[in-house]
Amino acid sequence: MEIVERLTQFGLTRHEAVIYLTLLAEGDLNGYEVAKTTGISRSNAYTSLASLVEKGGAYVIEEATIRYTPVAISEFCDNKIRKLQAARQELIDTIPRKRDTVEGYITIKGEGNILNKLRNMILEARERVYISVPGQILETVTPDIKAAVDRGIKMVIITNGAWVLSGTIIHRSDQPLQQIRLIADSTNVLTGDINNGEYSTCLYSRKQNLVDLFKDAMKNEIKLIEMTKGNQ
Amino acid sequence: MEIVERLTQFGLTRHEAVIYLTLLAEGDLNGYEVAKTTGISRSNAYTSLASLVEKGGAYVIEEATIRYTPVAISEFCDNKIRKLQAARQELIDTIPRKRDTVEGYITIKGEGNILNKLRNMILEARERVYISVPGQILETVTPDIKAAVDRGIKMVIITNGAWVLSGTIIHRSDQPLQQIRLIADSTNVLTGDINNGEYSTCLYSRKQNLVDLFKDAMKNEIKLIEMTKGNQ
DNA sequence: TTATAGTGTTCCTACTTAGTAAGTCTACAC
DNA sequence: GTGTAGACTTACTAAGTAGGAACACTATAA
């Protein structure tokens, strides 16, 4: 992802992002210099600088001329994240509590949303997690698995490839894994495909019949892996 | 701040936020019900629902009719914050390093930006911090001061009011504090007013002459407090 | 069989807001 | 003449808001 696009995730417009990067690269500049260097017209440059300052991406140095200095990127991002964390707490405190719903079969679409759900299931697990995913997905969620292990969650993992993490129980499958499967605490299950980008689709459910079905299926999968391993 | 506005901070449009809140309050609904309940026209309701699902604010339940279930607010916010933390790391790794600048006198405007700077100075302090602020500002930054104390930073505080935190050295002033002052590690200083909302203005500098000036001034202020305390 | 309600999708018009793009004018300093 | 700053203007694009029409299908009641 391009740097400008990442900066827009933190609330900057394209112009503001371009100006911010220019300040980082060129050092402190005044408004006239910013306009010249970036090619943004002077009126727009001054407007965007004012907005960048208001958003906390730059500070003003009032000397013979008014110059602008960029805020360090880690500081700028931390400020934004901190603000969202505060908003998060305020939302949790004030938002209407979710009405109890009849749990059914929830469809989760898009690789990003599926990864989020997968990670949240690991995060909220209390006792044990069975997970069957390709190695590259494991790479992505390694920090979450590590954190789960650290708090005493039993992690049983079926995967292909060479991924390893101490404290986990790993069963290696020779066959490519076409689907992901995850069971957390024998109460909720996630399954489906995740290699179709935004078209990936998974099913999430807390239905006990589905959970039981998947538990049996994964136990059998593990038995098969152990049997074929014994023969090698 | 209103709930809808807080939700827009997490990337939802007003319609999406209204629909999300309706799902929380009413439980799982289909698109037709969402349109009826919210007053949003059906075409817009379906469009906004699709976008809300894409943004990870709701999941689809595919039954006799397609219903939508809201994602828990803490989960939704955590997902967004986690994404920004990842973008933060990617920015830090790829953004051009800030060109060394001649440190001058930086003007920081707006209460939010000033609070951010104040907190970042405490966060990055290595040895000691002298801070002189009104009590209500201290309330705001108590977690940051606590964290600094926990990592062994010497916190010397001049304030009014009854604020207290174990591990800090507090000098109470009888007079109202019109300005804030902070010196971190004898290397950087922040001073100015913060009770004017977005019109608040502070000065930040690493200039040694200004730092020395403020050190002397705060030492004298502490001496005066101690002397008047002795007389009481 | 007919009428009505429910459900979902696609396409349309129209207004508002924000961002992008660029310019003019005034004023001052060097 | 160049540099610097600010205020104001015009104009286009994109996204969000607001609402509707049309089509197709299903379910239910009379």
Side-chain angles (χ1 to χ4, degrees):
Chain A
M1 190 187 279
E2 207 223 346
I3 288 181
V4 167
E5 188 176 335
R6 284 202 184 97
L7 284 167
T8 63
Q9 284 183 277
F10 287 88
L12 299 186
T13 67
R14 270 182 44 79
H15 275 183
E16 290 162 1
V18 166
I19 291 173
Y20 175 74
L21 291 169
T22 302
L23 292 177
L24 282 180
E26 304 290 333
D28 307 345
L29 299 174
N30 65 31
Y32 184 82
E33 286 168 333
V34 166
K36 230 171 45 170
T37 306
T38 60
I40 296 171
S41 80
R42 271 196 305 106
S43 51
N44 292 337
Y46 278 103
T47 302
S48 292
L49 274 165
S51 184
L52 183 63
V53 165
E54 188 176 343
K55 291 176 180 176
Y59 295 137
V60 168
I61 299 177
E62 297 189 11
E63 291 176 337
T65 73
I66 296 172
R67 288 189 297 117
Y68 298 82
T69 186
V71 169
I73 188 59
S74 57
E75 187 170 327
F76 174 65
C77 293
D78 284 344
N79 292 339
K80 174 73 176 182
I81 289 170
R82 187 187 298 140
K83 188 175 178 184
L84 284 187
Q85 278 162 342
R88 170 191 181 279
Q89 195 56 54
E90 280 155 2
L91 280 168
I92 290 172
D93 291 341
T94 58
I95 217 158
R97 187 174 295 274
K98 179 178 179 179
R99 190 191 189 100
D100 282 352
T101 60
V102 175
E103 297 287 349
Y105 303 95
I106 293 174
T107 303
I108 304 179
K109 297 172 182 174
E111 183 179 344
N113 292 328
I114 292 164
L115 271 179
N116 279 333
K117 191 58 179 173
L118 192 150
R119 299 174 82 165
N120 282 314
M121 287 173 76
I122 295 172
L123 192 76
E124 287 166 25
R126 303 288 177 79
E127 297 173 31
R128 74 181 61 80
V129 170
Y130 290 86
I131 179 170
S132 171
V133 289
Q136 67 265 32
I137 302 298
L138 280 179
E139 297 289 350
T140 304
V141 296
T142 295
D144 309 273
I145 296 178
K146 191 190 257 290
V149 167
D150 286 347
R151 69 177 188 277
I153 309 301
K154 179 183 177 186
M155 296 292 308
V156 182
I157 299 167
I158 301 171
T159 189
N160 52 11
W163 185 87
V164 106
L165 182 70
S166 83
T168 65
I169 300 161
I170 302 177
H171 303 278
R172 295 189 196 283
S173 172
D174 295 329
Q175 294 160 356
L177 299 167
Q178 304 291 16
Q179 279 212 339
I180 68 170
R181 276 185 271 186
L182 187 147
I183 306 173
D185 293 335
S186 301
T187 59
N188 48 113
V189 63
L190 180 72
T191 186
D193 71 277
I194 197 171
N195 51 13
N196 268 330
E198 73 183 88
Y199 301 103
S200 302
T201 304
C202 277
L203 185 80
Y204 171 80
S205 180
R206 291 175 170 274
K207 290 276 199 175
Q208 200 57 48
N209 62 326
L210 195 71
V211 173
D212 289 342
L213 184 75
F214 271 83
K215 279 175 71 178
D216 288 345
M218 287 190 79
K219 277 175 179 168
N220 291 340
E221 192 175 350
I222 291 171
K223 276 178 187 165
L224 274 171
I225 290 173
E226 292 304 332
M227 285 171 66
T228 57
K229 211 164 83 176
N231 285 344
Q232 281 174 342
Chain B
M1 188 186 280
E2 207 220 348
I3 288 181
V4 167
E5 188 175 336
R6 283 204 184 94
L7 284 167
T8 64
Q9 283 184 276
F10 287 87
L12 299 185
T13 67
R14 271 182 44 82
H15 276 184
E16 289 161 2
V18 166
I19 290 173
Y20 175 74
L21 291 169
T22 301
L23 292 176
L24 282 180
E26 304 290 333
D28 306 346
L29 299 174
N30 65 29
Y32 184 82
E33 286 168 332
V34 166
K36 228 169 46 171
T37 307
T38 60
I40 296 171
S41 79
R42 271 191 300 110
S43 54
N44 291 337
Y46 278 100
T47 302
S48 292
L49 274 167
S51 184
L52 184 62
V53 165
E54 188 176 343
K55 289 176 181 177
Y59 294 137
V60 168
I61 300 177
E62 296 189 9
E63 292 176 338
T65 74
I66 296 171
R67 290 190 294 115
Y68 299 81
T69 186
V71 170
I73 187 61
S74 57
E75 187 170 324
F76 175 64
C77 293
D78 285 343
N79 292 340
K80 175 73 176 182
I81 289 170
R82 185 187 301 142
K83 190 176 177 186
L84 284 188
Q85 278 162 342
R88 170 191 182 279
Q89 197 54 57
E90 280 156 0
L91 280 168
I92 290 172
D93 292 341
T94 58
I95 217 158
R97 188 175 295 274
K98 179 178 179 181
R99 190 188 187 101
D100 282 351
T101 59
V102 175
E103 298 286 349
Y105 303 95
I106 293 174
T107 304
I108 304 179
K109 298 173 180 174
E111 183 176 345
N113 292 327
I114 293 165
L115 272 178
N116 279 334
K117 191 58 180 175
L118 192 150
R119 300 174 80 166
N120 282 314
M121 287 173 78
I122 296 172
L123 191 76
E124 287 166 25
R126 303 287 179 79
E127 298 173 29
R128 73 180 62 81
V129 169
Y130 290 86
I131 178 168
S132 171
V133 288
Q136 67 266 31
I137 302 299
L138 279 180
E139 298 288 351
T140 305
V141 297
T142 295
D144 308 273
I145 296 179
K146 192 190 258 292
V149 167
D150 287 347
R151 66 176 190 275
I153 308 301
K154 180 183 177 187
M155 296 292 306
V156 181
I157 300 168
I158 300 169
T159 191
N160 52 10
W163 185 88
V164 107
L165 183 71
S166 80
T168 64
I169 300 160
I170 302 177
H171 302 278
R172 295 189 196 283
S173 172
D174 296 328
Q175 294 160 354
L177 298 169
Q178 306 288 17
Q179 279 211 338
I180 67 170
R181 273 184 271 188
L182 189 148
I183 306 172
D185 294 335
S186 300
T187 58
N188 48 113
V189 63
L190 179 71
T191 185
D193 71 277
I194 197 169
N195 50 15
N196 267 329
E198 72 184 88
Y199 300 104
S200 303
T201 303
C202 279
L203 185 79
Y204 171 82
S205 180
R206 293 175 170 273
K207 290 276 197 174
Q208 200 58 48
N209 62 324
L210 195 72
V211 174
D212 289 344
L213 183 75
F214 272 82
K215 280 176 71 181
D216 287 347
M218 287 190 81
K219 277 175 182 171
N220 290 340
E221 192 174 349
I222 291 170
K223 276 179 191 168
L224 273 171
I225 289 173
E226 293 302 334
M227 285 172 64
T228 56
K229 212 163 84 179
N231 285 342
Q232 281 172 343

